[in-house]
C-alpha cells in the first residue's frame, strides 16, 4: 500500500521558543509564512490532507487574512488554543481515515527546500519514521504520532 500523508501545520511556536516576532504572520517576499508553509505540501500526489491548527482567539483576523487562500486550496482549519500541544491534539483529531503518516510543520518556518520535503516523504514512505534537522517538518506513522501527541489514533 502506498503511503498517504496527512499534514498538520501548527501556528503556535514550539515550547521554549516563545512567541517569535510575528511568527506565521510575517511576510517573506510578500506572502505570509503560514501560506508559504502550507504551499510546501499542496499538489503532491501522496499528500491526502492538509490541516492548519490556529488559536481560536485570533479566529476573526485569521479568517479574514487566510480564509480564502486556505479554503480555495482545500485546507481545513482547526481551532484550538495558542498552546502547541493543544493545536497538535486538535489537528490529529479528524485525520483522514486513509492516512498512513502524519507530517507536522511549524507555520512560521516556510523556508524548507522542496527537495528536503521530497526526501522526508520518501523516507517515511519507505517505512522509516523520519525527522529532519533544524526547521524541517517531521513525519511519523499515524500510530506513532498519536502516541507521541498523547491522543487516540484516528479511526
Amino acid at each position: 500500500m502506498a503511503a498517504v500523508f496527512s499534514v498538520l501545520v501548527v501556528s503556535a511556536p514550539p515550547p521554549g521558543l516563545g512567541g517569535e516576532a510575528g511568527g506565521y504572520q510575517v511576510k517573506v517576499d510578500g506572502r505570509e509564512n503560514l501560506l508559504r508553509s502550507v504551499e510546501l505540501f499542496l499538489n503532491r500526489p501522496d499528500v491526502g490532507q492538509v490541516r492548519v491548527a490556529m488559536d481560536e482567539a485570533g479566529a476573526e483576523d485569521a479568517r479574514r487574512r487566510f480564509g480564502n487562500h486556505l479554503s480555495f486550496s482545500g485546507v481545513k482549519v482547526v481551532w484550538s488554543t495558542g498552546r502547541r500541544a493543544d493545536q497538535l491534539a486538535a489537528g490529529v483529531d479528524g485525520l483522514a481515515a486513509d492516512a498512513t503518516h502524519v507530517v507536522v510543520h511549524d507555520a512560521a518556518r516556510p523556508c524548507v527546500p522542496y527537495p528536503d520535503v521530497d526526501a522526508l516523504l520518501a523516507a517515511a514512505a519507505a517505512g522509516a519514521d523520519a525527522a529532519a534537522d533544524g526547521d524541517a517538518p517531521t513525519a511519523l506513522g499515524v500510530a506513532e504520532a498519536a502516541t507521541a501527541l498523547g491522543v487516540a489514533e484516528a479511526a
Side-chain angles (χ1 to χ4, degrees):
M1 180 169 109
V4 177
F5 294 90
S6 281
V7 177
L8 176 58
V9 179
V10 294
S11 63
L17 291 183
E20 297 171 344
Y24 69 91
Q25 298 178 17
V26 169
K27 288 187 177 185
V28 174
D29 198 24
R31 292 193 44 85
E32 290 90 349
N33 284 345
L34 173 71
L35 297 176
R36 289 187 175 277
S37 290
V38 167
E39 290 166 356
L40 289 170
F41 302 100
L42 295 178
N43 301 319
R44 291 177 175 271
D46 48 358
V47 173
Q49 176 186 49
V50 178
R51 298 168 62 94
V52 173
M54 300 188 78
D55 187 352
E56 196 164 21
E60 184 176 330
D61 182 55
R63 283 186 182 103
R64 182 182 53 77
R65 293 177 72 182
F66 307 116
N68 290 340
H69 297 287
L70 297 176
S71 64
F72 179 76
S73 300
V75 175
K76 170 127 174 72
V77 178
V78 293
W79 302 102
S80 183
T81 69
R83 292 185 54 236
R84 189 174 183 93
D86 293 340
Q87 289 186 3
L88 291 169
V92 169
D93 185 33
L95 286 177
D98 63 342
T100 59
H101 294 78
V102 179
V103 177
V104 177
H105 185 66
D106 187 337
R109 290 164 177 74
C111 298
V112 179
Y114 282 95
D116 288 359
V117 175
D118 293 339
L120 175 83
L121 298 180
D129 286 339
D133 292 332
D135 295 334
T138 302
L140 296 171
V142 171
E144 292 81 7
T147 301
L149 299 175
V151 296
E153 182 176 345

